[in-house]
Amino acid sequence: MNMNIMWHGHYVKYLEMARCAFLDEIHYTYDVMKEKGYGWPIVQLNLKYVKPALFRQKIRVELSLVEYETCIRIDYIIRDIATNEKLTAGSTTQVAVEIKSGEMQCRHRLVGEVRWKIIRLSNGRRHNAYFIGYLFIVVESVELGVF
């Protein structure tokens, strides 16, 4: 058996890197969330391992924001850069929690300018992915770039 495969726990880290890059792109980082009085914890995480990533393999994390009205739900696909082969699929769901009270805000809407930026990135599509982003990574090495 080839033990040159990436440890399964690292996939969650790569999803987090892509999600943070996306939040930075829409200017709604975790620091901004905190300033607005909200935390956005992950309440659900799903991963489906299709094929293992190997050490020193270049991968791409594709991200699609599929819900933002009452929660932030993002779907991900991790692909091999050279072959475009799908390695892993996953999703995360985050909910707004008011920091002061600790209560979940089921009907929270993202701040107006953030919602506008998401809608603008989506070109007005309502039932498809609103944003597609890419994060390029060399497994267990450095981030190559985000765009």
Side-chain angles (χ1 to χ4, degrees):
M1 180 173 180
N2 182 355
M3 294 306 291
N4 195 30
I5 61 173
M6 180 178 73
W7 177 59
H8 67 278
H10 288 307
Y11 290 87
V12 177
K13 173 175 61 177
Y14 297 143
L15 301 187
E16 176 75 10
M17 290 169 67
R19 186 171 54 254
C20 286
F22 165 71
L23 294 172
D24 189 51
E25 176 70 22
I26 65 168
H27 308 289
Y28 199 64
T29 63
Y30 290 120
D31 289 335
V32 172
M33 293 175 188
K34 185 177 177 182
E35 288 172 12
K36 303 274 185 195
Y38 294 95
W40 286 83
I42 301 282
V43 295
Q44 186 169 5
L45 167 69
N46 296 299
L47 288 171
K48 178 172 173 74
Y49 302 103
V50 179
K51 186 174 180 182
L54 305 176
F55 289 114
R56 292 173 293 287
Q57 180 177 19
K58 294 180 181 179
I59 62 174
R60 179 178 67 239
V61 179
E62 301 173 355
L63 157 136
S64 300
L65 178 65
V66 295
E67 173 62 44
Y68 66 89
E69 293 291 333
T70 59
C71 64
I72 297 175
R73 186 167 140 239
I74 299 174
D75 288 345
Y76 308 85
I77 297 176
I78 298 177
R79 296 184 185 276
D80 177 274
I81 288 178
T83 66
N84 204 38
E85 185 174 20
K86 180 165 48 169
L87 304 175
T88 304
S91 68
T92 56
T93 303
Q94 294 172 260
V95 296
V97 174
E98 186 179 50
I99 293 171
K100 205 175 205 181
S101 68
E103 293 181 11
M104 187 167 63
Q105 307 296 303
C106 295
R107 300 212 183 268
H108 183 277
R109 289 184 169 249
L110 293 176
V111 184
E113 69 268 14
V114 175
R115 288 188 79 234
W116 171 245
K117 179 140 187 165
I118 292 169
I119 291 168
R120 203 169 48 131
L121 285 169
S122 73
N123 294 322
R125 291 188 304 268
R126 295 295 300 168
H127 299 290
N128 297 320
Y130 292 97
F131 175 85
I132 304 292
Y134 301 100
L135 177 70
F136 295 99
I137 298 169
V138 177
V139 174
E140 283 307 283
S141 185
V142 296
E143 173 183 341
L144 295 177
V146 178
F147 48 106

